[in-house]
Amino acid sequence: MKKFLCTILMFILSIFSFAKGYPNKNINLVVPFAAGGGTDAVARKLGSLLEKELGQPIIIVNRTGGAGAVGMTYGSTSKKDGYTVTMITREIISLPLMKLSPITYKNFDLVSLVNMDPTVVLVGKDSKYQSFDELIKDAKERPEKVKFASTAKPNFYALAIENKTGVKFNHIPYNGAGEVVPALLGNHADFALMGPGEAIGQIKSGQFRALGLMANERIESLAEVPTLNELGYDVVSGTWRGIAVPKGTNPEIIDTLNKAIKNVTSSDDFVDFMEKANFGVKYLGPEEFGNFIEEDTMVIKEIIDNLK
């Protein structure tokens, strides 16, 4: 019995010592979407600044497929040692609700929310659609013919529009916004839904035309773009990004990561980058992040129930 208790004590002490020494080697940051998109851009900036906070290299690992399911599954099933962290997105809610992935946010220990953005309805410069009304009118006249470039299948931003307007789009899947941009520019799709930061360059250069913003109010960087509410459509939707680790990770490690991320997200360097790239900064710690996800789960579940 004494030997058993000594073994348990040594195990506990080893865990404590490990956590206190964390990190002491490279940390892999899993991005479940392709390089070049908004999630990848936020992850790379976050990672570069976390290197300074944590004193170890942050290696970006893009694992694409399944509308984010492949990368998030990989992250959730990695070792619980703090050396594989994952950038999770709204798809961690939508995919399991649609029974397209067995992995939910409960397979992770949440660390921090870092970003939240509204969604912009976009068409190419040569598109026949001059307004959101024209897009919806055509979709009603030609069910499932209007081609939507989707970075997730199902895409809950598009589903929200379908649910409110009664239209049905032809959803064409792409692995991240980095692939959607050339698809839209090459007229391989009729429209796309992206975050402001993913498309601001093309909008300002005239390559993309923004038809509407899925938000409660206009944003400064796209002040000329009306909200869908202004246009008579009660549709508000956006994306968010946060950091999580496999369920069961040592709380000391989670605390170390969260404190580092909190410092980074409040730094001038990160805020300036996010503002210039038109990404919204939104920090929440583990508990608040969990409450946030639970509330968003109810929003998405309502959309699914209405579709049924």
Side-chain angles (χ1 to χ4, degrees), residues 138-156:
D138 190 33
K140 286 182 177 179
E141 294 174 350
R142 300 188 304 126
E144 299 187 53
K145 297 297 183 183
V146 174
K147 293 179 287 185
F148 164 57
S150 174
T151 56
K153 191 171 185 179
N155 186 294
F156 277 83

Side-chain angles (χ1 to χ4, degrees), residues 46 88 180 200 271:
L46 183 71
I88 63 172
V180 168
I200 193 72
V271 172

Side-chain angles (χ1 to χ4, degrees), residues 104-183:
T104 77
Y105 72 92
K106 294 182 180 180
N107 292 99
F108 289 96
D109 280 327
L110 303 176
V111 179
S112 314
L113 179 71
V114 300
N115 156 254
M116 187 172 180
D117 291 313
T119 302
V120 187
V121 183
L122 300 162
V123 295
K125 64 178 180 178
D126 299 322
S127 172
K128 65 181 180 180
Y129 305 121
Q130 298 298 316
S131 69
F132 186 73
D133 282 332
E134 291 183 7
L135 173 66
I136 296 302
K137 182 176 182 293
D138 190 33
K140 286 182 177 179
E141 294 174 350
R142 300 188 304 126
E144 299 187 53
K145 297 297 183 183
V146 174
K147 293 179 287 185
F148 164 57
S150 174
T151 56
K153 191 171 185 179
N155 186 294
F156 277 83
Y157 317 119
L159 287 175
I161 294 175
E162 291 181 346
N163 188 45
K164 293 292 185 178
T165 63
V167 303
K168 291 293 181 183
F169 301 120
N170 177 10
H171 293 235
I172 302 174
Y174 290 89
N175 286 318
E179 293 184 6
V180 168
V181 171

Side-chain angles (χ1 to χ4, degrees), residues 21-168:
Y22 173 85
N24 54 32
K25 63 179 182 179
N26 294 354
I27 297 174
N28 290 326
L29 173 49
V30 179
V31 179
F33 296 100
T39 302
D40 181 71
V42 173
R44 289 180 186 277
K45 185 60 179 181
L46 183 71
S48 69
L49 296 179
L50 280 177
E51 288 187 348
K52 302 173 185 177
E53 283 288 322
L54 296 172
Q56 296 293 338
I58 306 295
I59 310 300
I60 303 299
V61 180
N62 295 94
R63 284 194 170 250
T64 66
V70 171
M72 288 188 279
T73 298
Y74 173 81
S76 71
T77 55
S78 296
K79 288 184 178 179
K80 306 170 185 180
D81 58 5
Y83 291 102
T84 298
V85 303
T86 304
M87 179 157 278
I88 63 172
T89 62
R90 204 182 192 202
E91 283 71 29
I92 195 64
I93 300 173
S94 61
L95 292 174
L97 284 176
M98 295 290 285
K99 303 190 185 306
L100 295 175
S101 171
I103 302 299
T104 77
Y105 72 92
K106 294 182 180 180
N107 292 99
F108 289 96
D109 280 327
L110 303 176
V111 179
S112 314
L113 179 71
V114 300
N115 156 254
M116 187 172 180
D117 291 313
T119 302
V120 187
V121 183
L122 300 162
V123 295
K125 64 178 180 178
D126 299 322
S127 172
K128 65 181 180 180
Y129 305 121
Q130 298 298 316
S131 69
F132 186 73
D133 282 332
E134 291 183 7
L135 173 66
I136 296 302
K137 182 176 182 293
D138 190 33
K140 286 182 177 179
E141 294 174 350
R142 300 188 304 126
E144 299 187 53
K145 297 297 183 183
V146 174
K147 293 179 287 185
F148 164 57
S150 174
T151 56
K153 191 171 185 179
N155 186 294
F156 277 83
Y157 317 119
L159 287 175
I161 294 175
E162 291 181 346
N163 188 45
K164 293 292 185 178
T165 63
V167 303
K168 291 293 181 183

